[in-house]
Amino acid sequence: MRRKLIAGNWKMNGDQDLVRRVAEHAADSGGGAEMAVCPPFPLLAAAASQLPFGVALGAQDVSEYEAGAYTGEVSAGMLLEAGCRYVIVGHSERRTLYGEDNGRVAGKFVAARGAGLTPILCVGETLAERDAERTEVVVGEQLDAIMDAVDGPAFQGAVIAYEPVWAIGTGRTATPDQAQAVHAFIRQRVAERDGSEVADQLRLLYGGSMKAENAAELLAQPDIDGGLIGGASLDPESFLSIYNAAAEG
Ligand code: PEP
């Protein structure tokens, strides 16, 4: 049985007040699912000290390097020390706005795992790729790059978020059937290389305009094990409603 995970990706938003309000609401998260919050780096310390026990902390990005002359970068070891359990790698905004290719994302994934963090690997296709029926090719390549870079089962204990780029921040959500089909494909692809035990335990999140109104339907799909929430995670009440849909489902 996979415990559902609802993770909030604040992107470059939020302040001390949001940390306080989310921490207050998170106190009402019953424990039926797992909640994680990924604020920007400068808010990690405040979140670590205010989030209730059982609510996990995550970061939004990590360097592929351990230490050194990499101005502006943050290492996996630093995130661990700051109290993080999770780190998002390969978010589509990093891939498109900052030119992160599959190789670089794999380096970050390896660095995160090596330090003892749980990577949340984001994969997903653009609208043009979906229209050209290339979703499985693109997502398959994104997964293979990780599995090529890791000796042994790459996704053991990891989390993957399927985030169709056309659904992120657009208000347009994949239908439950569309999302389920890609999630089933991901689990199958991982099973082929990492084995069925790793694939069966792997948590696959859906991300892309998930909100209180559509969460239950998406989370009811057999291969959707939670959500990576952008916009709606900035509203503590909405975020808690999504969490409750996961905890009750
Ligand atoms: C995201 O950026 O990971 C995301 C899913 O954003 P939104 O929920 O706003 O579409």
Side-chain angles (χ1 to χ4, degrees), residues 9 11 91 93 122 163 167-170 207-210 228-232:
N9 172 15
K11 312 192 186 192
H91 190 280
E93 286 152 16
C122 297
E163 300 209 306
I168 295 178
T170 59
S209 301
M210 194 190 261
L228 183 56
I229 320 298

